[in-house]
Amino acid sequence: SSQGQMPALGCAGIPVKTDGNPNTFHHKVFIFDGEIVALGSFNFSASARDDNSENMIIIHNEEFAQAFIDEFNKRFNDPEAETPDLSC
């Protein structure tokens, strides 16, 4: 989206894809070092930080993180996921 960081990431050479079902896909999950998972409603935006009532939970657990890594790989490799034309 024009408000997100996808163009900046993709144009920097980081693989990005759009979900094949954008009307219902709304994951907000960050996985750090294969063992830390941060998730919740927090959007990592100025509005979320300054104005909204957002939440986040941070879990330190390798098995939990692996479940999210597996889900990420499933979604990223889904045939419906598309590499966007970013016009870099």
Side-chain angles (χ1 to χ4, degrees):
S1 98
S2 63
Q3 296 178 5
Q5 294 301 311
M6 185 179 284
L9 293 169
C11 291
I14 297 170
V16 296
K17 291 187 180 181
T18 56
D19 178 52
N21 190 359
N23 294 323
T24 59
F25 196 66
H26 199 69
H27 286 20
K28 297 175 201 168
V29 176
F30 296 84
I31 306 159
F32 303 96
D33 299 329
E35 66 178 77
I36 301 169
V37 179
L39 67 152
S41 66
F42 195 83
N43 280 317
F44 289 87
S45 66
S47 295
R49 183 190 65 223
D50 300 334
D51 300 321
N52 300 343
S53 291
E54 303 288 350
N55 66 66
M56 178 190 304
I57 184 169
I58 299 173
I59 300 169
H60 296 250
N61 182 289
E62 287 184 41
E63 289 179 40
F64 192 79
Q66 188 59 53
F68 278 92
I69 291 168
D70 293 345
E71 176 68 9
F72 171 83
N73 288 330
K74 179 181 174 184
R75 298 294 173 196
F76 196 79
N77 295 312
D78 185 321
E80 296 295 318
E82 299 177 353
T83 301
D85 178 14
L86 300 172
S87 302
C88 299

